[in-house]
Amino acid sequence: MPRNEDFDRIAALAPVVAEHPGWQPFASYLALRAQGRRPEALRALGKFLAIAEKWSFPERQSLLLWIGEEDACAPVRYLRFATLPDKLLVPHPLLLRLVVPTSSEWLAREPMSARAHFLYAVYAAHAQQDARPLDHLRTAIQLDPAAQAARARFANRIAAFVDHAQHELPRHGYLGSAAEDMRDLQEALEIVAGIDHPAMRQEFTATLTNMLDIARAWDAFKRSGDGSDFASWCTRHGGPASMLEQ
C-alpha cells in the first residue's frame, strides 16, 4: 500500500520528468497519480507508452536509466526487505511494455555491461520466469566491483528471502533450508563488506549477522534431536538474542 510520502515523491518527480523532451505524458501520469486520480493517470500512461514503445533503443535506454536511478539505484532505501519495483513510479503497464523489453534488449546488446545485468535483475526478473536475479547481480558485481547498488540489492534480496524463512520463529518452524540460508547469508556478508556507505554497511551487516546466528541456531537445534521447542532450546543454550527476547 503506497504511503503519503510515496505520492509526495512522484509529485516532486513530475516537473523533473516534464523537462525531458518527449516525456511529458509520463510526467502527466506521475502528477495525476500523485493526486489520486488513478484512472486518468493510467490513460495518460497508455498514451505515453503508445509513443515510447516506438522509440529507438537509445531513447528507451535513456528512460530506463533514469527510472533505474530513481527506483533501483538508490541503495540508501534498500534495507526494507522490498524486492519489487516501486509500483507508483514503475506501474505494471510501464514495466511490461517498456522497462522489461528494454532491459532485456540492453543485456542482449551488451552482455559485459554491469549496469545492464543490474537493471535486468531488478526488472526482468519479476516478469520472466527464466530470469535469475541473484546470478545477474553477481555478474554485475564481478564486472564492476564498485557497483554499490548491485551490492545493496543482492544483500537486500537475501535478507528478504531469509526474513520470510525465519518469520515464524521461535514458536514455529523454520521455512526452507537453514543450511542453504547460512551459505547465502555468508555470501551476502562478503558482498556487503564492499559497500562504501558506512551506516548502510553497518546496518546490513548487523541484520545479516543476526539472521545468520538464527539460521545456525536452528541448524544446531535440529541436529541435536532435542525434543523441546526452539524457544526453550535457545534459552538453555544461549541462542540468538533476538530469539531470547520473544
Side-chain angles (χ1 to χ4, degrees):
M1 178 69 68
R3 301 162 298 178
N4 289 337
E5 53 262 41
D6 297 323
F7 288 104
D8 292 341
R9 178 168 168 259
I10 62 169
L13 288 175
V16 177
V17 171
E19 295 177 359
H20 292 260
W23 293 15
Q24 286 79 8
F26 184 40
S28 296
Y29 157 76
L30 294 172
L32 290 166
R33 191 69 181 89
Q35 296 168 22
R37 298 159 65 182
R38 188 171 182 273
E40 295 168 81
L42 292 178
R43 284 195 291 271
L45 179 64
K47 292 178 181 178
F48 171 67
L49 290 173
I51 298 169
E53 284 178 314
K54 300 174 184 177
W55 285 351
S56 66
F57 172 71
E59 291 174 314
R60 289 181 284 111
Q61 182 188 40
S62 178
L63 178 63
L64 173 62
L65 281 167
W66 183 86
I67 288 173
E69 290 295 332
E70 291 299 329
D71 176 44
C73 300
V76 294
R77 295 198 299 268
Y78 274 14
L79 197 51
R80 59 184 183 184
F81 301 161
T83 59
L84 296 175
D86 183 331
K87 291 184 178 180
L88 292 178
L89 181 64
V90 194
H92 199 61
L94 177 63
L95 179 70
L96 289 186
R97 293 172 59 181
L98 195 70
V99 172
V100 168
T102 304
S103 61
S104 299
E105 183 177 351
W106 187 359
L107 186 61
R109 285 171 175 258
E110 300 181 49
M112 298 304 292
S113 167
R115 182 56 62 84
H117 277 280
F118 172 70
L119 292 175
Y120 183 88
V122 171
Y123 295 114
H126 300 297
Q128 300 179 189
Q129 293 183 353
D130 63 341
R132 294 164 296 176
L134 291 177
D135 287 347
H136 287 284
L137 290 171
R138 287 188 186 97
T139 300
I141 296 166
Q142 291 167 359
L143 291 170
D144 180 11
Q148 298 294 293
R151 288 181 179 274
R153 176 67 65 159
F154 185 95
N156 196 65
R157 289 193 67 89
I158 295 298
F161 298 151
V162 178
D163 181 62
H164 175 72
Q166 297 180 348
H167 81 281
E168 295 285 357
L169 296 175
R171 300 303 173 189
H172 301 287
Y174 197 106
L175 304 178
S177 169
E180 291 180 5
D181 286 348
M182 289 159 57
R183 176 201 64 202
D184 293 342
L185 287 163
Q186 288 169 334
E187 181 182 11
L189 281 166
E190 292 174 4
I191 285 175
V192 160
I195 291 179
D196 294 336
H197 193 289
M200 187 191 314
R201 184 176 62 250
Q202 292 168 11
E203 187 176 1
F204 266 126
T205 299
T207 298
L208 295 167
T209 299
N210 181 61
M211 289 178 168
L212 180 57
D213 289 344
I214 293 171
R216 285 172 172 164
W218 177 262
D219 185 64
F221 166 66
K222 294 302 290 184
R223 286 189 288 103
S224 72
D226 193 306
S228 66
D229 61 86
F230 184 51
S232 299
W233 185 90
C234 285
T235 300
R236 293 199 309 275
H237 294 273
S242 55
M243 293 295 99
L244 297 175
E245 294 167 358
Q246 300 295 319

